Each structure stands twice: as structure tokens, then as C-alpha cells.
Amino acid sequence: MAILFGVVAIVGVISWAIVKSDELSGIGRTVKKGSFRHPHGRLVATHCESAAEDVPYGARLLKRVPVFTSLLTLVVAIVGLVMEANGIVAGVVVVDVVASGVVVVLMAGECILRLAKGMQRFSVFIVVVFAGLLLSTACSMFATAMGGGAESFIVVVSRTVSSVAGCALGCALAAAAFREPARFKRRFEDGYENEIAVSPHSAVYKAYREFMVGKKAWESGRRQD
């Protein structure tokens, strides 16, 4: 589990750095055209295609809960526990897989699919996975502590169910933190244009607002003062 945490954390940091580098391309005092960070030179104009989502956190949370994968995981876990209780070796394997936190990938995947298209990024997926792993581990440890460290059938059931529930809740809480971003079109000094989605709470959003022009000015390629 520790290795899984480490891998997720490292991949998450790398993904975040790549996304931020792209967002900041063309912005700053030392923009050098053709460089790794600024391949197209300075940002000269932006146009807002759609505003950011304005939905309360609670409402977003209800929409992000991975209902399907959570129920599926619980059913598989219960079947595995029953098999284990009846001496079937395969049941032990099933329970170990469920308790290991690997199922967080499925739950996080469902949460990502429930997000707006603009937020369906790998970096967001990593954050959701990490949150699911964290809460899953915490709930599992709590259930074990409440059972006094015993390995009775009841304790194992409690720990497994707690792990699944914690994983689902962790993924949902993290996914709900991401709102549908504002979508901008960008134009750089070499004429290159593309679209990008940014959070309305980020410094990049404020910078893009400073470069923003109206639709007519955007289409004509002129900066609107």
C-alpha cells in the first residue's frame, strides 16, 4: 500500500506540473519564443468560450458518488467473504484484492466520468485516486482498531466494508472539489491558437481575463482595449 501511495503521489506531481506549465505558457516577464515553456511565444489574446460552473459543493458531491462501482465492489467483497468463511481459497484472494485499495481505480474512474468533460484530466484522476486510497486506509484502520486487532469474521467484514465505503467517499469528496472550469481560446504571438480549461480560482484565470477580448475582436485578431 505504501508503494501504491508513493507511485500515485509521484505521478500526481508530474501531471500537475505538466498541466501548470501548459496553462502558464506565454505568460510572464521572461517569455522566450521557441523555449520549452513558451514554444509559441507570448500570449496575445484570449476569448472566454464558457463560464465556470456555479453549483454548490453539496450538490456536486451527490452527483460524484461512484454508485455503480461501489455497489459492484461491495457485492464482490461479500461473495468473497462468504467463500472465505466456507473455506474456499479463492475467497481469500478476492477479499485481499478488495481490501488492498486496487478497486480505487474503478471508483475514481467512475467519478471522473461524472465530471464535466473539461475536468476529465489525468491529473484530476490522480488526485481522486489518492483521496480514495487515503480515506479507504483510514477507515480500514479504524475498523481494525475498533475490533481490537482481532481477525474474527465480523471484524474482517467490518474492515472490508469500511474500506470500500471510505474509498467511495474519498473519491467523491475529491471529485466534488473540481468544478467545471472556464474554457478559453488562446492566441499566441506566432498565430497559434488552441483551447484550454482553467479553474476560476487560479491566478492563471485572472491573467487570461486581462488578455480577454470580445468575440468580434477575437475573430478579427485584434486586441480589444
Side-chain angles (χ1 to χ4, degrees), residues 144-185:
T144 300
M146 291 297 291
E151 287 297 319
S152 64
F153 181 74
I154 297 299
V155 173
V156 173
V157 170
S158 176
R159 183 172 62 221
T160 303
V161 172
S162 297
S163 176
V164 173
C167 184
L169 182 59
C171 288
L173 289 170
F178 294 96
R179 298 192 301 169
E180 182 175 359
R183 300 193 66 83
F184 285 89
K185 284 185 177 180

Side-chain angles (χ1 to χ4, degrees), residues 100-218:
S100 69
V102 175
V103 293
V104 71
V105 175
L106 296 176
M107 293 189 187
E110 182 179 347
C111 286
I112 292 298
L113 291 176
R114 291 173 178 272
L115 288 172
K117 190 174 181 180
M119 290 308 297
Q120 292 179 2
R121 304 174 179 175
F122 184 69
S123 56
V124 175
F125 175 74
I126 292 298
V127 172
V128 175
V129 167
F130 189 81
L133 283 173
L134 189 63
L135 198 52
S136 174
T137 302
C139 290
S140 179
M141 292 175 64
F142 178 76
T144 300
M146 291 297 291
E151 287 297 319
S152 64
F153 181 74
I154 297 299
V155 173
V156 173
V157 170
S158 176
R159 183 172 62 221
T160 303
V161 172
S162 297
S163 176
V164 173
C167 184
L169 182 59
C171 288
L173 289 170
F178 294 96
R179 298 192 301 169
E180 182 175 359
R183 300 193 66 83
F184 285 89
K185 284 185 177 180
R186 300 185 295 181
R187 179 180 293 125
F188 296 88
E189 65 174 295
D190 65 353
Y192 176 77
E193 296 180 7
N194 69 354
E195 291 189 11
I196 190 169
V198 296
S199 168
H201 300 299
S202 65
V204 175
Y205 177 79
K206 296 178 181 179
Y208 283 8
R209 294 276 300 178
E210 293 178 3
F211 286 95
M212 193 167 67
V213 299
K215 186 174 182 179
K216 187 175 181 180
W218 172 264

Side-chain angles (χ1 to χ4, degrees), residues 20-33 35 37-38 41-44 186 188-189 203-204 206-208 210-211:
K20 286 302 175 184
S21 178
D22 181 45
E23 289 181 351
L24 293 169
S25 180
I27 300 175
R29 297 180 179 178
T30 57
V31 176
K32 184 178 180 181
K33 184 179 178 181
S35 63
R37 285 193 59 192
H38 312 287
R42 288 189 175 279
L43 181 67
V44 295
R186 300 185 295 181
F188 296 88
E189 65 174 295
V204 175
K206 296 178 181 179
Y208 283 8
E210 293 178 3
F211 286 95

Side-chain angles (χ1 to χ4, degrees), residues 53-67:
E53 179 183 26
D54 187 19
V55 178
Y57 180 82
R60 297 200 305 273
L61 178 60
L62 292 176
K63 294 180 180 179
R64 307 293 194 259
V65 177
V67 179

Side-chain angles (χ1 to χ4, degrees), residues 1 4 69-84 90-107 132-133 135-137 140 156-168:
M1 183 65 75
L4 187 57
T69 48
S70 298
L71 292 177
L72 178 62
T73 302
L74 280 175
V75 170
V76 172
I78 291 172
V79 170
L81 289 169
V82 172
M83 292 171 64
E84 182 180 4
V92 179
V93 177
V94 172
V95 173
D96 287 344
V97 170
V98 172
S100 69
V102 175
V103 293
V104 71
V105 175
L106 296 176
M107 293 189 187
L133 283 173
L135 198 52
S136 174
T137 302
S140 179
V156 173
V157 170
S158 176
R159 183 172 62 221
T160 303
V161 172
S162 297
S163 176
V164 173
C167 184

